[in-house]
């Protein structure tokens, strides 16, 4: 297997880390390591290889190829470091086990429709189907629960799910800041806005977990939208600080909004509605002027990239030698776990610019330089 030069030392060290984690787990009584042993006994030690990030108190079990595993580990480190710097102040005190489910075990683990991941705090166990938005969502939960445990607080359910949903799609700017990106949840908000079906903030803030989940399609979209509004106004960090400081007085989060904005909650809600009305419709939809590779994509069963279903003739992908069945795992070093991630990477490319695509063909990883062209190009 040809390895990316930047990842080669890490991949070598993974084999060392794997041996260390396996040895340490034998005598460890931490909940995460007990869960790791139980998982491997149930699903097999050969497919699920262990790894550990001691700095972040994270134990990992994946069946990914080394390079995909290291990319996942790097992305989680970046996400976690941002969350700790801006919101949660520290990584969890206890180790957390992260399991990426092998495709062969998916139907045994995920028995509910539309569920592709979960975090169980009592077991210190995060389980996800792939390296994309579900993993990003659940990893926020793992860090958030650690922060709540230190503070001896249990935050409102809309806060838990809204923050996690916010991090499903985002990108880093050159200065290290984060831009939160639109997704299907924003489309749902546009439909609710058009039909005058928005949920009042105070109703959402006080909603029980059962009611929130029962109305999940709408409530998750609302909660993410509110946090995206906060982030775009530059108030996300300040709101969370105000929330934990005033939690005993108001656990819903309304008071924290009034502190940060200096206005009554009803006025802030109207500002959010105005912001929502001004949002572009389907900002990630394909446009004629968008740069493209010339492929028909499909989900990848390993959930670590975008699989090519077909390569269109006379396109950049065809000229570069990409084939049906290849899996695109990164563009210019930034991962593309699913099609929306890939589309956002392409949307940032300037006309005429070349990009480096990292892809997997069978068991081998390779790179190719491609110059995408506009969809409207002949």
């Amino acid at each position: 297997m040809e390895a990316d030069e930047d990842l080669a030392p890490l991949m070598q060290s993974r084999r060392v880390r794997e041996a260390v984690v396996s040895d340490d787990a034998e005598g460890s009584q931490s909940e995460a390591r007990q869960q790791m042993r139980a998982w491997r006994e149930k699903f097999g030690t050969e497919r699920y290889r262990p790894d550990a990030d001691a700095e972040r108190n994270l134990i990992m079990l994946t069946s990914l190829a080394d390079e995909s595993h290291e990319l996942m580990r790097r992305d989680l480190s970046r996400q976690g470091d941002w969350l700790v710097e801006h919101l949660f102040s520290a990584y969890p005190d206890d180790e957390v086990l992260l399991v990426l489910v092998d495709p062969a075990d998916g139907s045994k683990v995920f028995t509910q429709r539309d569920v592709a991941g979960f975090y169980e705090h009592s077991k210190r166990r995060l389980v996800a189907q792939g390296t994309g938005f579900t993993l990003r969502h659940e990893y926020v939960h793992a860090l958030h629960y650690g922060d709540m445990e230190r503070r001896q607080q249990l935050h409102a359910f809309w806060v838990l799910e809204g923050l996690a949903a916010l991090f499903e799609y985002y990108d880093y700017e050159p200065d290290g800041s984060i831009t939160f990106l639109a997704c299907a949840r924003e489309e749902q908000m546009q439909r609710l806005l058009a039909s005058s079906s928005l949920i009042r903030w105070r109703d959402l803030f006080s909603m029980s977990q059962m009611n929130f989940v029962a109305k999940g399609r709408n409530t998750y979209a609302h909660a993410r939208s509110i946090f995206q509004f906060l982030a775009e106004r530059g108030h996300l960090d300040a709101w969370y600080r105000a929330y934990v400081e005033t939690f005993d007085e108001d656990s819903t989060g309304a008071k924290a909004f009034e502190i940060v904005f200096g206005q009554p909650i009803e006025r802030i809600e109207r500002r959010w509605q105005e912001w929502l009305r001004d949002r572009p419709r389907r900002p990630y939809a394909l446009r004629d002027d968008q740069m493209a590779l010339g492929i028909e994509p499909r989900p990848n069963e390993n959930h670590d990239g975008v699989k090519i279903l077909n390569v269109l003739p006379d396109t950049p992908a065809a000229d570069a030698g990409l084939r049906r069945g290849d899996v695109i795992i990164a563009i210019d070093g930034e991962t593309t776990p699913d099609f929306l991630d890939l589309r956002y990477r392409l949307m940032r490319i300037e006309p005429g610019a070349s990009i480096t695509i990292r892809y997997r063909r069978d068991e081998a990883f390779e790179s190719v330089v491609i110059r995408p062209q506009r969809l409207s190009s002949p």
Side-chain angles (χ1 to χ4, degrees):
M1 179 176 67
E2 177 192 350
D4 184 285
E5 292 182 0
D6 293 334
L7 293 174
L10 295 175
M11 290 161 56
Q12 180 66 29
S13 65
R14 184 191 178 188
R15 287 183 278 275
V16 176
R17 296 194 309 260
E18 180 179 352
V20 171
V21 175
S22 297
D23 290 343
D24 288 350
E26 291 302 318
S28 173
Q29 295 303 311
S30 80
E31 182 63 37
R33 295 191 185 231
Q34 290 183 55
Q35 291 293 328
M36 181 187 76
R37 291 196 296 270
W39 188 280
R40 297 185 81 199
E41 288 171 4
K42 181 176 182 178
F43 293 105
T45 58
E46 294 300 321
R47 284 182 297 145
Y48 288 96
R49 298 172 56 195
D51 191 9
D53 184 338
E55 179 183 351
R56 298 171 179 85
N57 250 353
L58 186 64
I59 308 296
M60 292 160 272
L61 281 181
T62 81
S63 60
L64 296 173
D66 284 351
E67 185 164 338
S68 291
H69 176 90
E70 293 301 338
L71 286 169
M72 175 211 71
R73 180 184 166 111
R74 182 204 66 182
D75 286 354
L76 282 180
S77 298
R78 292 167 69 186
Q79 179 183 347
D81 290 351
W82 194 97
L83 285 164
V84 166
E85 178 182 353
H86 292 270
L87 299 179
F88 300 141
S89 73
Y91 279 94
D93 295 332
D94 297 324
E95 288 181 324
V96 171
L97 172 66
L98 182 160
V99 181
L100 279 191
V101 178
D102 186 275
D105 300 322
S107 61
K108 305 171 193 173
V109 176
F110 302 111
T111 57
Q112 291 180 282
R113 184 181 178 184
D114 297 329
V115 173
F118 50 85
Y119 174 66
E120 302 166 291
H121 187 59
S122 62
K123 296 181 178 180
R124 303 299 192 272
R125 186 175 73 174
L126 186 168
V127 180
Q129 191 172 40
T131 62
F133 74 93
T134 299
L135 176 57
R136 296 189 288 256
H137 180 115
E138 300 302 337
Y139 192 46
V140 175
H141 281 324
L143 271 59
H144 196 169
Y145 270 92
D147 192 56
M148 289 191 296
E149 194 165 61
R150 279 191 300 273
R151 299 179 187 277
Q152 296 185 314
Q153 297 176 349
L154 180 59
H155 295 167
F157 196 72
W158 85 269
V159 175
L160 285 168
E161 295 303 332
L163 275 176
L166 179 65
F167 280 83
E168 290 171 350
Y169 288 100
Y170 63 88
D171 204 358
Y172 294 98
E173 301 299 334
D175 63 359
S177 62
I178 280 183
T179 297
F180 296 100
L181 305 173
C183 62
R185 299 196 194 279
E186 185 156 336
E187 284 189 64
Q188 179 64 7
M189 288 306 300
Q190 297 295 346
R191 286 191 286 268
L192 293 171
L193 178 66
S195 62
S196 301
S197 301
L198 295 179
I199 303 172
R200 290 180 63 250
W201 275 21
R202 288 194 183 276
D203 292 339
L204 181 73
F205 293 176
S206 60
M207 195 174 290
S208 69
Q209 177 177 344
M210 182 180 297
N211 287 339
F212 189 99
V213 173
K215 303 173 183 177
R217 187 175 184 185
N218 295 340
T219 51
Y220 277 86
H222 272 79
R224 185 183 198 269
S225 178
I226 291 169
F227 277 115
Q228 189 169 1
F229 168 72
L230 264 176
E232 291 194 8
R233 291 295 181 271
H235 295 323
L236 182 61
D237 304 29
W239 179 89
Y240 190 77
R241 287 194 300 272
Y243 179 59
V244 297
E245 290 168 1
T246 62
F247 179 80
D248 291 340
E249 183 179 349
D250 173 31
S251 63
T252 71
K255 184 174 182 62
F257 275 98
E258 294 180 337
I259 291 172
V260 170
F261 283 88
Q263 296 176 336
I265 191 68
E266 291 77 14
R267 171 59 185 143
I268 306 167
E269 184 174 1
R270 288 195 295 272
R271 289 178 60 182
W272 165 73
Q273 292 172 353
E274 293 165 1
W275 168 84
L276 192 58
R277 290 189 186 94
D278 292 337
R279 301 285 292 170
R281 302 298 185 264
R282 290 181 57 81
Y284 53 83
L286 291 172
R287 304 185 309 270
D288 287 345
D289 63 344
Q290 183 176 317
M291 308 307 290
L293 302 176
I295 63 170
E296 294 179 12
R298 60 167 293 176
N300 163 38
E301 56 271 16
N302 286 327
H303 303 285
D304 64 340
V306 175
K307 193 169 189 175
I308 298 177
L309 177 63
N310 190 30
V311 177
L312 304 179
D314 302 319
T315 61
D319 294 342
L322 291 177
R323 304 176 191 167
R324 175 187 174 93
D326 290 346
V327 177
I328 299 174
I329 63 168
I331 292 180
D332 288 338
E334 297 297 332
T335 52
T336 55
D338 62 35
F339 183 50
L340 190 51
D341 288 305
L342 175 65
R343 186 176 294 179
Y344 274 124
R345 299 280 173 242
L346 292 173
M347 288 174 67
R348 284 181 168 246
I349 299 170
E350 296 294 331
S354 295
I355 59 173
T356 299
I357 288 184
R358 190 70 175 166
Y359 65 97
R360 185 177 70 249
R361 177 173 294 165
D362 298 324
E363 300 300 320
F365 286 78
E366 301 181 30
S367 296
V368 64
V369 176
I370 290 182
R371 181 175 293 174
Q373 66 184 27
R374 294 184 187 276
L375 285 172
S376 57
S377 298

